Amino acid sequence: MIENEARKEKIIMVGVSRDESDIDRSLDELAELIKTAGGEVVGRITQNLDNFNNKTYVGSGKLDEIKNFIDILDADAVCCDDELSPVQMRNLNDYLHVTVMDRTMVILDIFAKRAKSHEGKIQVELAQMQYRAAKLIGLGKQMSRTGGGIGTRGPGEKKLEIDRRRIHDRISILKREVAEVVKHRETSRKSRKRNDKKVAAIVGYTNAGKSTLLNTLTGADILSEDMLFATLDPTTRVLEFPNNQEILLTDTVGFISKLPHNLIDAFKSTLEEAVYADLIIHVVDASDPEYDEKMKIVYETLNSLKVENKPIITLFNKCDVLDRDDILIDPKADTHMRISAKTGQGLERFKDTLIQFLRQGKKYKEIFVPFSESYKLYELKNGNEITEERYEEDGIYISGYFR
């Protein structure tokens, strides 16, 4: 039996920047995004410009070069490294006569494939609809393109030929559903506060190893693969320590350069886990030569979300493949350390750091409880770290760290 593998879209990448090293780095990442979305990069074209061409993104001479490359490489599509305006999208479609997409469309497509939960699906669809509403005048003939290629997948997208009114009606419905998600999250947060549960949000650039860390620490069964946005839906698990202590760890959506505003808006309820967390755990892929640039992008994203005045622990992950002499520093973190989420290297020290965090605001005490007042034990143990509990003839002796 012969199986025919689905044909991948052949895509030419196009980037514009005044800095050649920046555009190369950005296009390398775009190539990974396209690969993750199921496409095949067959070429890249760059142009050094101080500003994008308002009508066609690139200059007229470069536009002819792109058209020639399309014919030579038999390309199906062109993907621009920045978000295109409706006018740019329309003019490029009219001139090149192939599918034109931008970085945002590729990211949205990946999110559409990765979303598994109901919450994730409605947030992805909302981001897609908001993107389409903004681009409606620029899509032209592309609006008649039905499923099968990058940028066409996702919940609620079986029929693309929908007019502006229907798109906005759908956006209204989705916003109401997202509002319900927000309400549910707020209820959960209030419940955690009442029970004095500490929450740590795991943040970082996509593919830094956040899900692997959560799996190793808590035994969670989250998909963790060497690809961008391997997981999309946030996951919260309990990390238990000896002596009656625990902390909730929440794995958040990975950050990326030029993260579309529609995604930030749609996933705000998910990303706000970092806003309301008691602690930020910043996971960095230390094996990435560009890790310092990606750290900068993570902090810029956190600032845009108004994540401020939070204690930060930075974990330089994948240190099992580094030389010992590599210097790794995060001046914005309260603590930083080397780990390998895959092998477990450094995780015991990290756990000790979390225990010290949970002890903040508590004092070490030794307390005697008569047997006649043993009902007080539950209240004393709730949320406190008990290091010893000893039964004697006259009552119960407990010691530990108490609020």
Side-chain angles (χ1 to χ4, degrees):
M1 184 174 68
I2 298 173
E3 291 187 9
N4 292 321
E5 187 178 336
R7 180 180 177 276
K8 293 183 178 179
E9 283 184 278
K10 296 163 72 175
I11 298 170
I12 295 173
M13 301 185 300
V14 180
V16 171
S17 176
R18 67 176 69 180
D19 188 319
E20 194 171 326
S21 61
D22 278 353
I23 191 61
D24 284 340
R25 187 187 311 122
S26 189
L27 286 180
D28 287 343
E29 185 172 81
L30 180 61
E32 282 297 310
L33 287 166
I34 290 171
K35 178 183 173 184
T36 302
E40 178 188 0
V41 175
V42 294
R44 64 167 70 189
I45 296 175
T46 62
Q47 184 169 31
N48 292 330
L49 288 175
D50 288 339
N51 297 295
F52 308 134
N53 185 301
N54 289 332
K55 294 181 178 179
T56 54
Y57 181 64
V58 294
S60 56
K62 190 62 67 171
L63 205 57
D64 290 332
E65 185 181 332
I66 294 170
K67 194 165 187 177
N68 288 335
F69 262 85
I70 291 170
D71 294 335
I72 294 167
L73 299 171
D74 191 28
D76 304 298
V78 166
C79 183
C80 298
D81 192 39
D82 299 275
E83 186 165 333
L84 299 174
S85 71
V87 171
Q88 289 169 331
M89 182 79 78
R90 182 186 62 211
N91 290 337
L92 286 171
N93 268 292
D94 290 345
Y95 190 82
L96 298 175
H97 302 295
V98 293
T99 299
V100 175
M101 62 185 82
D102 57 22
R103 188 184 182 96
T104 299
M105 287 178 72
V106 179
I107 294 175
L108 285 171
D109 187 84
I110 294 169
F111 272 50
K113 289 201 299 183
R114 296 283 183 262
K116 303 298 180 188
S117 69
H118 174 67
E119 175 186 345
K121 288 177 180 178
I122 61 174
Q123 290 180 118
V124 170
E125 187 181 356
L126 175 58
Q128 289 174 322
M129 288 293 176
Q130 288 173 330
Y131 175 86
R132 289 219 174 93
K135 296 291 185 291
L136 204 57
I137 64 165
L139 287 174
K141 294 176 183 177
Q142 194 177 356
M143 283 297 289
S144 66
R145 179 181 176 217
T146 52
I150 295 172
T152 69
R153 281 184 286 257
E157 292 182 16
K158 289 193 174 124
K159 182 180 176 187
L160 287 182
E161 290 157 342
I162 36 185
D163 58 20
R164 189 182 300 274
R165 180 185 60 79
R166 289 184 62 193
I167 287 179
H168 285 288
D169 285 348
R170 185 63 183 153
I171 287 173
S172 298
I173 292 169
L174 292 168
K175 281 185 174 179
R176 286 197 292 271
E177 291 190 44
V178 169
E180 287 299 314
V181 171
V182 172
K183 192 186 300 183
H184 175 71
R185 284 193 178 277
E186 287 175 350
T187 302
S188 298
R189 289 186 192 116
K190 287 176 183 175
S191 174
R192 291 198 297 254
K193 271 228 176 309
R194 279 197 303 271
N195 295 321
D196 197 31
K197 298 285 188 188
K198 296 294 184 185
V199 180
I202 304 174
V203 304
Y205 210 82
T206 180
N207 205 27
K210 301 185 304 301
S211 297
T212 302
L213 176 68
L214 192 61
N215 286 341
T216 303
L217 289 173
T218 67
D221 188 21
I222 305 168
L223 175 67
S224 56
E225 294 183 13
D226 185 18
M227 63 172 65
L228 304 183
F229 301 116
T231 53
L232 174 61
D233 298 308
T235 304
T236 300
R237 293 289 185 271
V238 177
L239 174 58
E240 296 180 342
F241 300 103
N243 307 330
N244 196 43
Q245 290 296 281
E246 61 183 32
I247 188 169
L248 297 176
L249 301 179
T250 298
D251 182 19
T252 61
V253 176
F255 300 157
I256 197 166
S257 175
K258 304 175 185 177
L259 188 65
H261 290 295
N262 285 340
L263 276 179
I264 292 177
D265 291 342
F267 280 83
K268 204 158 191 180
S269 65
T270 300
L271 293 170
E272 277 182 346
E273 288 298 319
V275 178
Y276 294 103
D278 303 291
L279 172 69
I280 302 296
I281 299 170
H282 179 195
V283 181
V284 179
D285 179 359
S287 68
D288 187 335
E290 309 292 341
Y291 79 87
D292 51 344
E293 285 296 320
K294 292 181 177 179
M295 285 172 61
K296 192 186 300 181
I297 290 166
V298 169
Y299 282 117
E300 286 172 357
T301 307
L302 289 174
N303 288 337
S304 72
L305 292 166
K306 303 288 189 278
V307 178
E308 300 166 342
N309 303 318
K310 305 277 184 188
I312 299 173
I313 299 174
T314 292
L315 302 179
F316 289 103
N317 190 26
K318 307 184 185 180
C319 282
D320 50 312
V321 297
L322 290 184
D323 294 330
R324 289 181 178 273
D325 295 335
D326 290 332
I327 298 172
L328 302 170
I329 297 173
D330 181 3
K332 293 192 176 183
D334 297 87
T335 307
H336 57 261
M337 60 190 72
R338 293 167 171 250
I339 68 154
S340 169
K342 187 176 179 181
T343 67
Q345 174 188 333
L347 291 187
E348 288 306 314
R349 182 188 166 205
F350 171 56
K351 288 179 183 178
D352 290 339
T353 304
L354 290 179
I355 290 172
Q356 292 301 319
F357 169 75
L358 292 172
R359 284 178 181 171
Q360 290 178 8
K362 297 178 181 178
K363 292 183 178 180
Y364 180 80
K365 296 179 184 178
E366 296 179 352
I367 301 173
F368 169 70
V369 180
F371 286 122
S372 60
E373 298 178 10
S374 58
Y375 60 87
K376 292 181 179 179
L377 282 175
Y378 174 78
E379 187 176 338
L380 286 169
K381 290 180 179 180
N382 186 30
N384 295 314
E385 180 185 350
I386 308 303
T387 56
E388 185 182 8
E389 183 176 349
R390 190 174 73 253
Y391 285 75
E392 301 288 351
E393 289 184 9
D394 52 348
I396 307 158
Y397 291 83
I398 63 171
S399 59
Y401 295 85
F402 297 86
R403 291 187 299 274

